[in-house]
């Protein structure tokens, strides 16, 4: 697709500047929509996911508490 080709063209420049550990294959795969359903886990296992806001808050707290940033 056009956006991936455009980004890939500048891939070395972009990722040298920001120092992200990502390769060209990962960048290309990111253009696809990967859909997974947790319906079976909800029914069979009683899975009840937390809200994204709660999860993000806990993740940020963990990163700060462990001096990862």
């Amino acid at each position: 697709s056009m956006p991936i080709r455009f980004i890939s063209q500048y891939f070395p420049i972009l990722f040298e500047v920001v120092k992200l550990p990502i390769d060209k294959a990962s960048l290309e795969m990111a253009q696809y929509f990967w859909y997974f359903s947790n319906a079976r886990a909800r029914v069979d296992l009683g899975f009840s996911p937390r809200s994204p806001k709660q999860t993000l808050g806990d993740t940020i707290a963990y990163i700060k508490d462990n001096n990862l940033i």
Side-chain angles (χ1 to χ4, degrees):
S1 76
M2 176 56 184
I4 294 302
R5 276 184 262 148
F6 177 78
I7 292 171
S8 295
Q9 178 181 0
Y10 296 101
F11 180 84
I13 298 165
L14 289 173
F15 293 97
E16 183 176 317
V17 171
V18 294
K19 306 285 187 212
L20 293 177
I22 188 168
D23 56 60
K24 190 173 181 175
S26 297
L27 180 64
E28 189 168 332
M29 292 303 291
Q31 72 179 322
Y32 299 104
F33 178 72
W34 297 94
Y35 176 78
F36 296 96
S37 172
N38 63 16
R40 187 170 177 194
R42 286 177 185 260
V43 172
D44 294 351
L45 304 173
F47 176 65
S48 179
R50 301 180 328 153
S51 74
K53 185 175 182 177
Q54 182 183 10
T55 301
L56 184 58
D58 288 348
T59 301
I60 292 169
Y62 175 85
I63 290 170
K64 286 181 177 179
D65 292 347
N66 290 280
N67 298 315
L68 298 174
I69 56 171

